[in-house]
Amino acid sequence: MIYDSLISPFVEFAFMRRALVGAIALALGAGPVGIFLMLRRMSLMGDAMAHAILPGAAVGFLISGLSLFAMTAGGLVAGLVVALLAGLVARLTELKEDASLAAFFLVSLALGVTIVSMRGSNIDLLHFLFGSVLALDDKTLVLIAAITSLSLVVLALIWRPLVLECVDPGFLRSVSRAGGPAHIAFLALVVMNLVGGFHALGTLLAVGIMMLPAACARFWARDITAMIAIAVGVGVASGFIGLLLSFHAGLPAGPAIVLTAGVFYVGSLAFGTVGGLGRRLVPRRHLEA
């Protein structure tokens, strides 16, 4: 019974195995990136950047159809351009970076949908917005795995300045000039992981596998390393459970994965040992001399 429910779908169907491998790879790369986005108070930026890649991917689609290389290259270029433009507008004008990102995000989403609609069908538009994790092929899996591997290597190289900027950015600026290059490299990692997530979950849901596990981890640990491990674990579990729900209940796979991560978030919010509602509502005994 347990084998038929939990293991058999992945043994019998190749598309389920590919979807699971893709979900695991996304969790391994997006989990650590999500943790640093959250600690740097840039969580909403992830959502804006996820929509910013849509016009570039749509231009690639307009030129070459459903070409993996064209859509990936277009998404990367569009995401990096929007990130740089938003930062430039924030520095040169009185508009704050969050408002600048919101403006670019809305324009990018509308432009991307318009471009896809010019040539594609409603099915193509749904593919762009919500992804097709059950239709991942070998080339897409290799791309996602490569993005994950590169993300982990780059995070290892810029680990110290990233952590210091989360804890004490003023101290980092006083002792090192590594903060600026590390920030740019980190933004590139955000865009890369969102592009990888776009191929599996679409632009609307790609950020879910990045931020929801990170938010869960914040309620269970204070140490950054522990938070990353928990975020990756939640991401992997969300992918596994979400795919099973999709298979057995006939739900769309991408939303099922993100909804599962949302259930983990609600549970962490209620029962988390670090700032969860349960810990706050239940009075704790004070130490007595």
Side-chain angles (χ1 to χ4, degrees), residues 23 49 103 123 126 132 180 188 198 211 217 232 259-260 264 267 285:
M49 296 306 300
I123 295 177
L126 289 175
S132 54
F198 155 75
M211 296 313 308
V232 170
L259 281 175
T260 303
F264 278 114
R285 295 178 60 187

Side-chain angles (χ1 to χ4, degrees), residues 50-68:
H51 296 82
I53 66 177
L54 181 57
V59 169
F61 170 76
L62 197 64
I63 296 173
S64 303
L66 292 173
S67 166
L68 179 65

